[in-house]
Amino acid sequence: MELDEAFGLVGEFGPGQKRLTAFLVLLQVFVAFQSMLVVLVGAVPEYHIDQEEIPASREALAKHVKFATNFTSIATEWYLIKHEAYKVSLASSLYFAGLLIGNILFGPLSDKLGRKPVYMSGLFFDIIFGYISAFAPNYEIFAMSRFFVGMTNGGMSLVSFVLTQEYVGKSFWALTGSLTNLTFAVGIAIYALLGYYIREWRLLAFVSNSPGLFFFLLSFMLPESPRWLYSQGRTAEAEEVLQYIALTNGKERLSVKLKQYLGAVKKDDSAPGLLNLVKHPVLRWRTVILMYIWYVCSLVYYGLTLNAGELGGNLYLNVALYGLVEVPAFPLCMFFIERSWSGRRKSTTAFLIFAGLACILTMFLPENTGGSFFSPSLLALNGKLTVSAAFNIIYIYTSELYPTVVRNAGLGVCSMTCRFGGILAPFVPSLKSLSPSIPFMVFGISGLSAGFLTLLLPETLNKPIAETIEDLQTPTYQILKNKKMQFVKTSSSFSINL
């Protein structure tokens, strides 16, 4: 039988799969802790310098600076203020640089070596470098540890996201993908709560990293992805995993016999990876469009965050709101992407265009519009809400557009361009020196262009998942597989929801 048929037999989202998915989804709380660490650990409290001339050296500065005692940070310990303040941002930039490299390396590695070993290795080193950050004796070691945390955390979370998709039937990919992103947003708020009660930065870094140990020890129970095993021609191992899933779903031991996949990767073939994203015309076209969409999602998201009404006041409340404002985006996008009249493609297009229009409309509104629905701050927040929804969908959509053998490689390349968008976003507001409307024009045009480009991609709702590149290049594959699914649905007592 085909792999999708087997999932219909053993269960697409049974109790066992729910436990596996819940574990990986909760892992996103730990990922959020690491991603947001510098926001609180690098925060600068109020301080006073008891002389007019700013000392040139850190040692001299330390003698004349007095910080408020409400919390500590790397800024208070190493006096990263004034001419040294850029080092806080540098540590954050090094984290994102690590994410770039992690996304590039871990995707192809997991496509070649397997999902579980690459995920486990990434999580292990993520924890090690996280503790190095907490106990760093100086700024230089702290900054370098953040680079390696970014590399391992970004790569590991990418692979764990793919596992949440490949453990379940395709009809539940949207649900598992949305839950992953939703939990990340909630994790930001939990981190803010943690920071509110733990004001000493080393202890906060230590406590924030410690949940990784719990997840690492329990990760040994995770099976390998049956879809990856099947795509590699390891049919017997894929059958064992599917039988294990059936048992955890409460079904009696089933005889799962998969058909040897004709398009499975052969020993003499070149290993699938980044090269195939360029070499094959279908993948090349999709990758170029998806890279731009991911870049725009990140650029507009972080750009709107910087312009969504000056969130003054309590630092911890602001960090919590930064995460919680995204929460309504997930049920919103879940509603639309499962409807046949909208699907993945049209929903992504609509959300991106709405975000772009919100930015453009903001350009024409005066600042003092009060609490009106059309005030600049509320429009910007609505824009952030919709771009968050688009961001959520594009994760799911990208997973479905790439075949199993290059899925992680494709997600890795797209995530890489996403990081570039995040890095560039803070510089766009500086264009206000030319004209106050230019930043919103950049965000607006970017959102609109990405939305319309999405229409060039195929719809994936209720379509079979390609396992190899050959599936994309064979037009009859989709027809034959759809017909076979229809036949199985009418002739078998098991319901296959595709």
Side-chain angles (χ1 to χ4, degrees):
M1 66 178 72
E2 298 281 0
L3 186 61
D4 286 327
E5 296 177 60
F7 269 108
L9 182 66
V10 304
E12 291 201 316
F13 197 50
Q17 291 156 306
K18 289 177 181 177
R19 287 192 291 270
L20 292 174
T21 302
F23 175 79
L24 291 172
V25 164
L26 288 174
L27 176 67
Q28 293 301 308
V29 174
F30 170 69
V31 173
F33 286 178
Q34 292 289 17
S35 300
M36 300 296 292
L37 186 75
V38 176
V39 174
L40 296 182
V41 164
V44 181
E46 294 183 2
Y47 62 88
H48 172 70
I49 301 177
D50 60 10
Q51 66 177 38
E52 293 184 6
E53 184 178 348
I54 305 300
S57 66
R58 182 187 302 175
E59 292 75 15
L61 187 63
K63 295 178 182 179
H64 299 279
V65 175
K66 185 176 181 180
F67 289 101
T69 58
N70 53 333
F71 64 86
T72 66
S73 68
I74 60 173
T76 64
E77 180 163 338
W78 296 313
Y79 296 94
L80 305 181
I81 58 174
K82 298 300 181 180
H83 55 277
E84 296 277 316
Y86 75 93
K87 291 185 177 180
V88 176
S89 300
L90 178 60
S92 184
S93 296
L94 285 171
Y95 176 82
F96 281 101
L99 286 180
L100 276 174
I101 296 175
N103 291 153
I104 294 171
L105 292 179
F106 278 64
L109 276 177
S110 68
D111 285 333
K112 184 177 182 179
L113 303 178
R115 312 303 197 215
K116 184 177 178 179
V118 174
Y119 156 77
M120 292 286 290
S121 301
L123 181 55
F124 174 78
F125 286 107
D126 188 3
I127 297 166
I128 296 299
F129 289 117
Y131 282 129
I132 292 175
S133 295
F135 295 106
N138 53 54
Y139 169 79
E140 288 72 21
I141 292 178
F142 175 84
M144 288 310 300
S145 69
R146 294 309 298 164
F147 170 79
F148 288 109
V149 167
M151 186 169 67
T152 53
N153 186 266
M156 174 274 296
S157 60
L158 174 71
V159 180
S160 69
F161 175 83
V162 172
L163 280 172
T164 62
Q165 307 285 71
E166 296 185 348
Y167 281 150
V168 303
K170 180 186 176 294
S171 57
F172 289 93
W173 281 23
L175 174 63
T176 58
S178 294
L179 287 174
T180 298
N181 293 325
L182 174 61
T183 308
F184 181 88
V186 174
I188 296 174
I190 296 174
Y191 175 66
L193 183 64
L194 201 62
Y196 179 78
Y197 288 103
I198 303 176
R199 299 299 180 95
E200 203 282 313
W201 81 265
R202 289 187 183 274
L203 181 58
L204 176 60
F206 178 86
V207 172
S208 298
N209 192 59
S210 294
L213 279 175
F214 167 79
F215 285 107
F216 177 74
L217 294 175
L218 290 184
S219 291
F220 285 98
M221 72 175 185
L222 296 174
E224 182 56 272
S225 162
R227 287 190 180 275
W228 180 82
L229 291 170
Y230 186 56
S231 71
Q232 299 297 304
R234 295 161 63 174
T235 308
E237 294 174 69
E239 291 171 351
E240 290 179 6
V241 174
L242 289 169
Q243 288 170 348
Y244 167 77
I245 290 174
L247 286 173
T248 58
N249 284 343
K251 298 187 177 183
E252 61 185 21
R253 191 172 182 84
L254 301 172
S255 179
V256 180
K257 295 296 180 183
L258 294 172
K259 183 176 68 175
Q260 185 64 40
Y261 198 77
L262 298 178
V265 177
K266 300 179 178 61
K267 298 289 184 182
D268 56 347
D269 285 345
S270 59
L274 293 175
L275 183 61
N276 281 329
L277 301 181
V278 179
K279 186 169 62 175
H280 296 276
V282 176
L283 288 177
R284 182 168 62 243
W285 180 242
R286 289 186 185 182
T287 301
V288 169
I289 295 175
L290 286 169
M291 286 173 67
Y292 181 71
I293 295 170
W294 279 66
Y295 162 78
V296 168
C297 282
S298 182
L299 180 73
V300 177
Y301 174 85
Y302 289 110
L304 288 176
T305 299
L306 296 174
N307 291 280
E310 310 236 342
L311 293 177
N314 188 284
L315 169 66
Y316 306 97
L317 178 61
N318 290 344
V319 175
L321 289 175
Y322 181 87
L324 293 177
V325 74
E326 304 175 40
V327 172
F330 301 108
L332 189 66
C333 70
M334 280 296 298
F335 173 80
F336 286 104
I337 63 177
E338 293 297 339
R339 300 296 182 272
S340 58
W341 45 267
S342 54
R344 276 67 159 151
R345 183 180 62 176
K346 292 179 181 178
S347 295
T348 306
T349 297
F351 284 127
L352 283 171
I353 289 177
F354 187 93
L357 288 175
C359 290
I360 291 175
L361 286 174
T362 303
M363 293 166 34
F364 302 104
L365 294 176
E367 291 292 332
N368 56 349
T369 51
S372 168
F373 177 78
F374 291 103
S375 68
S377 58
L378 281 178
L379 271 178
L381 286 170
N382 277 301
K384 187 188 174 187
L385 179 73
T386 51
V387 80
S388 297
F391 225 154
N392 180 51
I393 298 172
I394 204 63
Y395 268 94
I396 302 164
Y397 196 21
T398 302
S399 295
E400 296 175 345
L401 284 170
Y402 282 110
T404 301
V405 293
V406 293
R407 184 167 297 125
N408 261 336
L411 277 168
V413 170
C414 292
S415 295
M416 177 190 68
T417 58
C418 164
R419 305 308 170 193
F420 278 117
I423 292 170
L424 290 177
F427 296 98
V428 177
S430 64
L431 296 174
K432 285 182 178 179
S433 59
L434 301 176
S435 172
S437 63
I438 288 182
F440 287 105
M441 182 177 294
V442 171
F443 296 137
I445 293 175
S446 298
L448 290 173
S449 60
F452 287 118
L453 274 176
T454 306
L455 293 173
L456 298 177
L457 296 171
E459 179 57 69
T460 57
L461 178 64
N462 297 326
K463 302 291 177 63
I465 292 297
E467 304 297 339
T468 67
I469 297 171
E470 286 73 17
D471 292 340
L472 296 176
Q473 298 172 326
T474 308
T476 56
Y477 169 79
Q478 301 283 351
I479 300 172
L480 292 174
K481 194 164 186 178
N482 279 333
K483 286 184 176 179
K484 189 166 187 177
M485 291 299 100
Q486 291 295 329
F487 173 76
V488 171
K489 287 176 73 174
T490 55
S491 61
S492 171
S493 58
F494 298 103
S495 175
I496 302 175
N497 183 14
L498 292 176

